[in-house]
Amino acid sequence: MNSVLDVKTLEVGYGNGPVVKDLSLNLSRGAIGCLLGPSGCGKTTVLRTIAGFERASGGKISLHGKSVDHNGTYIPAEKRRTGMVFQDYALFPHLTVRENVSFGMRNLPARTRTERVRTLLDKVGLGKLGDSYPHELSGGQQQRVALARALAPQPEILLLDEPFSNLDVTLRESLVHEVRSIIKGTGATALLVTHNQSEAFAMADEIGVMSAGRLLQWGPARDLYHRPACREVAEFIGKGTFLECEALDDSRVRTSLGVIEGAPVHPIKRGERGMVLIRPEDIVHDDHSPFKTVVTDRIYRGPNILYFLRLDSGEEVLSLVPSHHDHPEGGKLGIRVELEELVVFVKNRSQETGVRRQEEAAKTAVA
Amino acid sequence: MEIFNDLLHSERFRRSLSWAALVLIIVGLIIGTVHTTNKVDYIWRWEQIPRYIFFQETIEVTVEEDATVTAVERDGADTYIIALNFLDEEQYYTVPSHMVSVKTGDELQRGQVLAEGRRWKPGLLLTGLILTLEISVLSIILGVVIGLITGLARLSSSPAPKWLAIGYIELIRGTPLLVQIYIFYFFVGQVFRLSNFMAGVLALSFFAGAYVAEIIRAGIQSIHKGQMEAARSLGMNYPQAMRYIILPQAFKRILPPLAGQFISLIKDSSLVGVIALVELTRAGREIGTSTFNYFEVFFTVAALYLILTFSLSMLVQFLERRFAASD
């Protein structure tokens, strides 16, 4: 039994509007998972339910093989051995950094506790600030105290609620990296909640995309980006546009940019019509291509430029190119499509298929 | 004209003007008071006031009948001398302890002087002040205990403590303190055989407790709920989290309104005079009725109350500054 967190068909909230519906996920020892979704999608509720601050109205949560919230059995938050890092850190303002960190280890002998506090503070790079009060620290330092405090009692699982959202962008990037290596260094299992894709990609081994209380897809970042289970995931993760298409066989579709070939992510049958996902990096500039487009807009981003290109059909695609390929707005550009995974969402088949397949995958993973 | 305008709008000029106005108003008030008292033909006799704070007692104890001392019992500043006359009747004499010159078995003769001299005794205003202080301190301590329990009960999610707390708070806040004091004296006091001192202290404690409860509730609610959750996720149960995380933070925030409540309580203690407790205000009234020095007496009473309340304010400010270290 290597699974630390196991959530099965979780439902939170009563009445006509459950906040979280039919959500299943599984984290094995040492893994960092992430729930990614727009604000209000229920991701924080999932985290709070796992921590024990909210109660599940259906389904089951197990921590380390022990059921903590299922059919009326409810283990209170303080007995779940979860470590939580809050969005606003929730450091105790009346205690020093050292007291904050040692707070969760009150049952340990004093010497072990002092030793562990020192090790942890060194690990998060705050060895000299043990006697400071939280308000004397910068945001990034406070964040690290919160992390040390949550890790101190050696929790079964570390839960992080939007831990970087209160930091400025430059600090965020370096800290995301640092926090990941601290967590990996302690071997802790962690579940993170964020609305920020790059944070999720940089921190997590496995990511779940949530929307309107449902988990749309659970898997490594690469799968979410290149093998999205449904249109919503495809639209939420990364940039990209859809082109109308008609299947020629099980690995080729015809579009207004010609025939596109690739390894199909979802099965297609000859003659089926649908939408094919085109990522900006799938568009290659080719002056000899028969397909000419017009630059309708461009965003200069330093190392590269994102072009908005209009096809003859009126459809639009995006193209990401190194910034020395400079084309003015209104200019003509020849392009062709080069992709590996062929992501086609067939019309009339509901998007639910993706979700259902994803859930089946989750179930087999658990079994 | 330009210069005049500039002067009028300069910050320094405006401030000086304001200071001048302040001095003028205070001088005016003093002159007005003196003038008014002259009009009502009041004769100020301030020299009579000190004796109500401290006075010199003349002591002269003489033996009334020949007797033999059978016991000398010391009780603080006073000592009781018990003697038997030839008919074996007991006689009692009270003598200041430092003046005792006889011991058990001594023969006393009629007309013998047991003690003679003078000693300082606290006057009515001072004993009143001390009683006010005793009542206030006890009521503040009890009031905080009641308020803390009620405040926590008020926040409970289970209906019994919550509604009991709400009922108690509304009952106390909705009735006059004077009526509550009468009820505690005549009803509760009779039922539980309380002294009028205990009845007064309890009435004030339950009165203050209701207000303290609301202050504490507001203080606890003002602490971000993340603090409670953080403590819970670190393995503390609800009472522990309250004790170590929420209450220390809440206490710091409620110190100013709590101080206000305590100051009110000191002033409200003047009402327990109605149940025969000679606290400061009642002492003032008694002196007034016998000497007609109402003006001086009540000015003094007011000043004594101010000393109490001002010291309390100072203490609270000191505490606030000390707690501010972790802000």
Side-chain angles (χ1 to χ4, degrees):
Chain A
M1 189 76 186
N2 216 12
S3 149
V4 172
L5 170 71
D6 188 27
V7 178
K8 272 188 197 138
T9 60
L10 178 70
E11 186 184 283
V12 189
Y14 295 85
N16 43 5
V19 189
V20 175
K21 283 164 280 195
D22 197 19
L23 182 137
S24 301
L25 63 90
N26 187 292
L27 268 185
S28 46
R29 175 162 294 285
I32 299 180
C34 174
L35 289 174
L36 176 65
S39 50
C41 72
K43 57 192 191 302
T44 297
T45 308
V46 175
L47 202 73
R48 293 173 53 79
T49 314
I50 294 169
F53 302 139
E54 316 269 343
R55 292 190 65 158
S57 51
K60 179 176 179 179
I61 298 174
S62 310
L63 281 171
H64 221 72
K66 201 172 122 201
S67 164
V68 294
D69 196 347
H70 175 53
N71 267 351
T73 47
Y74 165 77
I75 294 181
E78 64 266 26
K79 295 203 174 118
R80 291 194 183 188
R81 298 185 40 78
T82 58
M84 185 110 176
V85 176
F86 294 84
Q87 186 169 4
D88 57 0
Y89 318 135
L91 295 177
F92 305 133
H94 61 304
L95 302 179
T96 62
V97 166
R98 186 170 292 122
E99 288 165 340
N100 263 283
V101 176
S102 65
F103 192 80
M105 305 186 289
R106 298 187 325 129
N107 300 328
L108 295 180
R111 194 185 299 170
T112 328
R113 205 164 57 204
T114 330
E115 190 52 42
R116 210 170 142 60
V117 170
R118 189 182 312 138
T119 324
L120 272 166
L121 284 182
D122 283 342
K123 198 173 273 173
V124 298
L126 295 173
K128 292 197 180 84
L129 292 171
D131 292 320
S132 314
Y133 281 98
H135 73 276
E136 296 168 322
L137 305 181
S138 70
Q141 288 170 330
Q142 289 186 13
Q143 156 74 258
R144 279 180 274 192
V145 176
L147 185 65
R149 182 181 71 176
L151 284 170
Q154 290 174 301
E156 301 284 5
I157 184 166
L158 185 67
L159 303 169
L160 303 102
D161 183 11
E162 301 260 5
F164 306 105
S165 61
N166 280 339
L167 301 171
D168 60 77
V169 183
T170 38
L171 188 61
R172 195 182 298 183
E173 271 180 26
S174 61
L175 207 60
V176 167
H177 206 70
E178 199 184 318
V179 167
R180 180 180 159 90
S181 58
I182 291 170
I183 294 174
K184 284 288 175 189
T186 58
T189 312
L191 183 63
L192 165 86
V193 154
T194 182
H195 62 270
N196 182 315
Q197 269 180 52
S198 53
E199 242 170 70
F201 282 14
M203 275 282 290
D205 305 314
E206 283 185 291
I207 298 166
V209 179
M210 278 190 74
S211 169
R214 288 179 181 278
L215 188 63
L216 301 177
Q217 188 173 2
W218 177 262
R222 198 193 177 282
D223 278 10
L224 297 184
Y225 190 77
H226 289 288
R227 307 175 63 83
C230 59
R231 220 179 133 153
E232 253 184 297
V233 173
E235 277 166 355
F236 187 70
I237 301 287
K239 291 192 179 302
T241 50
F242 289 92
L243 293 183
E244 296 250 7
C245 70
E246 187 189 344
L248 298 176
D249 53 42
D250 58 5
S251 65
R252 290 191 307 156
V253 292
R254 191 206 312 279
T255 70
S256 46
L257 278 175
V259 175
I260 300 175
E261 190 171 2
V265 172
H266 306 301
I268 43 172
K269 284 201 247 22
R270 183 185 154 85
E272 276 184 317
R273 302 185 71 85
M275 304 294 277
V276 61
L277 171 67
I278 310 288
R279 295 288 190 195
E281 62 274 19
D282 297 336
I283 301 290
V284 180
H285 285 212
D286 181 0
D287 292 338
H288 307 294
S289 164
F291 302 105
K292 301 288 183 215
T293 59
V294 179
V295 178
T296 56
D297 202 354
R298 37 173 275 164
I299 300 173
Y300 186 80
R301 307 208 293 190
N304 49 44
I305 301 177
L306 184 67
Y307 284 106
F308 294 74
L309 306 173
R310 197 177 59 235
L311 314 183
D312 289 341
S313 64
E315 289 166 311
E316 194 172 62
V317 291
L318 304 177
S319 172
L320 193 66
V321 294
S323 53
H324 44 260
H325 291 283
D326 201 359
H327 299 279
E329 221 176 292
K332 289 236 171 204
L333 213 56
I335 57 166
R336 67 189 152 79
V337 180
E338 254 179 40
L339 45 72
E340 281 166 19
E341 276 98 350
L342 187 64
V343 182
V344 178
F345 298 109
V346 174
K347 276 183 183 166
N348 303 327
R349 232 194 267 164
S350 77
Q351 290 180 9
E352 293 290 305
T353 48
V355 176
R356 210 173 301 137
R357 207 187 346 273
Q358 155 61 21
E359 274 156 13
E360 276 156 19
K363 274 171 201 157
T364 48
V366 170
Chain B
M1 208 59 209
E2 190 95 332
I3 294 162
F4 181 70
N5 239 341
D6 282 355
L7 186 66
L8 205 65
H9 287 98
S10 88
E11 184 64 22
R12 271 187 64 184
F13 179 74
R14 284 178 172 214
R15 286 188 65 85
S16 333
L17 213 63
S18 179
W19 279 112
L22 182 66
V23 172
L24 220 66
I25 289 168
I26 290 172
V27 170
L29 278 175
I30 293 170
I31 293 172
T33 310
V34 171
H35 185 70
T36 324
T37 46
N38 281 342
K39 261 191 146 172
V40 296
D41 239 358
Y42 189 82
I43 302 154
W44 292 92
R45 283 175 299 183
W46 280 104
E47 71 282 357
Q48 293 202 353
I49 295 303
R51 79 175 63 155
Y52 294 108
I53 293 171
F54 265 116
F55 70 95
Q56 255 194 336
E57 184 188 34
T58 318
I59 295 160
E60 196 184 344
V61 184
T62 47
V63 178
E64 286 161 11
E65 273 183 289
D66 292 355
T68 312
V69 176
T70 55
V72 179
E73 285 171 11
R74 191 188 166 126
D75 180 20
D78 285 331
T79 295
Y80 304 108
I81 293 167
I82 303 160
L84 288 177
N85 67 6
F86 68 102
L87 287 172
D88 276 356
E89 289 167 345
E90 282 196 332
Q91 295 180 318
Y92 298 93
Y93 299 102
T94 310
V95 169
S97 292
H98 66 279
M99 291 183 187
V100 175
S101 56
V102 294
K103 57 181 189 297
T104 312
D106 284 0
E107 297 287 334
L108 304 179
Q109 281 161 7
R110 185 161 186 268
Q112 181 184 342
V113 175
L114 276 179
E116 193 174 18
R118 289 158 167 259
R119 71 168 170 183
W120 287 99
K121 281 202 85 173
L124 203 51
L125 282 180
L126 189 60
T127 53
L129 179 71
I130 290 167
L131 186 61
T132 291
L133 197 62
E134 278 173 9
I135 292 173
S136 303
V137 169
L138 275 175
S139 306
I140 285 172
I141 294 169
L142 254 169
V144 167
V145 173
I146 295 169
L148 183 60
I149 295 168
T150 313
L152 289 173
R154 173 77 180 74
L155 287 170
S156 168
S157 52
S158 78
K162 183 179 169 183
W163 286 101
L164 278 174
I166 292 176
Y168 158 66
I169 291 167
E170 291 308 319
L171 205 67
I172 294 291
R173 293 205 305 188
T175 52
L177 174 57
L178 194 56
V179 173
Q180 290 166 20
I181 290 170
Y182 281 131
I183 289 174
F184 265 86
Y185 180 59
F186 287 116
F187 176 70
V188 183
Q190 294 277 332
V191 173
F192 293 100
R193 305 195 165 280
L194 301 175
S195 64
N196 55 351
F197 177 78
M198 274 316 288
V201 166
L202 285 181
L204 285 173
S205 304
F206 276 95
F207 175 75
Y211 290 90
V212 171
E214 284 295 272
I215 293 172
I216 287 178
R217 178 183 66 90
I220 290 172
Q221 282 178 333
S222 80
I223 304 296
H224 196 269
K225 76 175 175 133
Q227 292 285 314
M228 173 59 85
E229 290 177 350
R232 296 293 291 275
S233 75
L234 288 168
M236 297 229 141
N237 57 28
Y238 182 85
Q240 286 174 320
M242 257 304 160
R243 159 94 180 69
Y244 295 105
I245 297 302
I246 308 299
L247 285 177
Q249 292 181 54
F251 180 69
K252 213 163 74 180
R253 281 192 201 175
I254 64 178
L255 209 50
L258 218 48
Q261 190 57 47
F262 295 161
I263 286 169
S264 286
L265 185 75
I266 291 175
K267 296 182 293 180
D268 290 342
S269 74
S270 62
L271 287 174
V272 298
V274 299
I275 54 169
L277 284 169
V278 189
E279 42 63 60
L280 190 50
T281 305
R282 173 82 180 239
R285 234 174 41 226
E286 289 188 357
I287 297 164
T289 39
S290 60
T291 64
F292 296 103
N293 281 359
Y294 283 110
F295 284 23
E296 299 90 329
V297 168
F298 279 107
F299 275 127
T300 312
V301 166
L304 290 174
Y305 273 115
L306 258 176
I307 289 173
L308 288 188
T309 52
F310 191 68
S311 320
L312 185 62
S313 297
M314 289 289 106
L315 177 73
V316 170
Q317 273 191 24
F318 168 75
L319 286 178
E320 266 184 80
R321 244 176 291 132
R322 266 199 50 186
F323 287 136
S326 60
D327 271 338

